[in-house]
Amino acid sequence: MRVLLTGGMGFIGSHTAVVLLEAGHEVVLYDNLSNSDAAVVDRITEIAGRRPVFIEGDIRDENLLVETLSSRAIEAVIHFAGLKAVGESVEKPLDYYDNNLAGSISLFKAMRSCGVKKLIFSSSSTVYGEPAQLPLTESCPTRKATNPYGRTKLQIEEMLSDLAVADPSLSIVCLRYFNPIGAHPSGLIGEDPNGIPNNLLPYVARVASGRLPELHVYGNDYATPDGTGVRDYIHVMDLAEGHAKALEYASHSRGWTAVNLGCGRGYSVLEVIHAFEKASGRKIPYRLEPRRNGDIAANWCDPSLAARLLGWKASRNIDDMCRDAWNFECRQSARQSHSETSCCK
Ligand code: NAD
Ligand code: UD1
């Protein structure tokens, strides 16, 4: 299939591009590079052995999208592009509504103009808010999010559901990711946020390699087995494979569907630290801190709908996730210091 990946140069998009290229799809990456590096396209090519097309562009540029969709005869879109930092979304809500919401509207209009009917959307477990029950199934209520980032995800899901009612020939799958971590086993692509990471795994990796001095563990008084927050971590390669399955599903289905992508079990912050220590052979110094605003105690999903509908199930465990995140951290810190040898050895 000829597939356009908005935000395809980012963390999840680049891994998905590799999986799709390896499966024989024609891949066009459309990205404004606001949170990614132009070198990623070479790394994807090195891994997959085939070069995707890269178009530098913004999803708010409807004309460029129309031109790209039509000239490349695109059959399906996977929509990753968006801003994703929760704290920043509270400080700059207009940027989030403009980029994520207005950007999505521009994309959906361009798809309509060009008759592109298949869409996979990057949603998030954040749409469930504070879980009413665990594990979370897709029939659990979605709730008012605690921040503008989360609200854009829910609003885009709702907009897509309305579009599917208005045009029954559309095929739309909203993938609700739980906590994607890890990296491609080559260490060529992974997650390396600018500045101080907000998310647990990139932070832990930088402490292990010595790029940061210690981890802050936000809260040890939650009603969880060891008091720290519990999440459903999922290897980014499993997630990428889930997109390939969702694309197959979208090619023969109609309507709007939301599907959880997670492993179906939770790990606490302390369990993640121990798994990373095992993978890296490094001690991770940490300090207990008060809870972080907006955090929930625990969430994990029931991934059985993904198994039934998409024929997908995560196959990599927390040790695989930490091993691959560590391998990427070692290679990335070596690349950034332009040294032949990694600080991790
Ligand atoms: P990322 O920041 O690594 O990738 C997003 C990509 O989109 C970047 O390459 C960025 O340059 C691009 N982009 C942003 N705004 C754009 C615009 N206006 N036009 C064109 N390109 C634009 O993020 P990611 O972790 O790969 O996340 C991908 C998607 O999945 C996002 O929509 C995110 O909200 C969603 N998501 C991520 C997580 C997570 O933990 N990583 C969890 C749930 C959902
Ligand atoms: C966060 C976002 C979520 C978003 C997801 C992916 C918040 C409140 N939620 O999820 O909306 O979809 O990222 O971008 O930001 N932790 C520490 N120390 C750290 C970092 C995290 O102890 O330095 C803990 C957190 O308290 C949490 C767990 O680690 O218990 C996971 O945190 P994180 O990786 O930020 O993901 P979420 O909060 O689940």
Side-chain angles (χ1 to χ4, degrees), residues 121 123-133 136-146 150-159 161 174-178 256-260 299:
F121 171 58
S123 188
S124 166
S125 64
T126 197
V127 300
Y128 295 115
E130 182 82 46
Q133 65 169 72
L136 286 156
T137 66
E138 291 78 358
S139 54
C140 287
T142 52
R143 284 158 192 268
K144 192 169 163 18
T146 55
R151 277 190 274 284
T152 66
K153 288 292 166 199
L154 190 53
Q155 288 164 0
I156 295 166
E157 277 205 6
E158 288 170 344
M159 182 174 17
S161 163
C174 294
L175 295 177
R176 294 176 177 163
Y177 311 156
F178 278 68
W256 179 97
T257 319
V259 182
N260 289 337
N299 81 346

Side-chain angles (χ1 to χ4, degrees), residues 11 179-183 191 201-202 233-237 318 321-322 325:
F11 173 46
N179 286 55
I181 59 169
E191 186 179 24
L201 247 287
Y233 295 95
I234 171 173
H235 196 296
V236 66
M237 288 304 296
I318 192 78
M321 301 178 211
C322 291

